[in-house]
Amino acid sequence: MTGLLVVVLGDAAIVAASIIGLVSLDENTADSQTVAILASAFTAITSITTAYFGIRAATNTAQSSISARQD
């Protein structure tokens, strides 16, 4: 449960930083920088979340394999 909380808080921090970045843009370069900020934010959120669930799935598989072997 702690790992999921860390992932959710990390994702929320990335979203907050992206919003702050988008608000602070000047109007002259806003279009290209907006795309860069949003693409980076989505990539970071996807990477963190996918890594968590991938590691979690591998851990669950290993635990079930060990418990089945002991029985």
Side-chain angles (χ1 to χ4, degrees):
M1 197 61 163
T2 304
L4 181 61
L5 180 64
V6 169
V7 169
V8 169
L9 291 176
D11 289 348
I14 292 169
V15 168
S18 299
I19 290 171
I20 291 170
L22 291 173
V23 170
S24 66
L25 290 176
D26 60 350
E27 295 178 13
N28 296 333
T29 59
D31 292 338
S32 62
Q33 289 181 353
T34 300
V35 171
I37 289 172
L38 291 176
S40 298
F42 286 131
T43 301
I45 289 171
T46 302
S47 298
I48 291 170
T49 306
T50 303
Y52 170 75
F53 285 114
I55 292 168
R56 189 73 186 140
T59 302
N60 289 342
T61 302
Q63 285 177 350
S64 65
S65 174
I66 290 172
S67 67
R69 200 169 195 205
Q70 290 175 348
D71 292 339

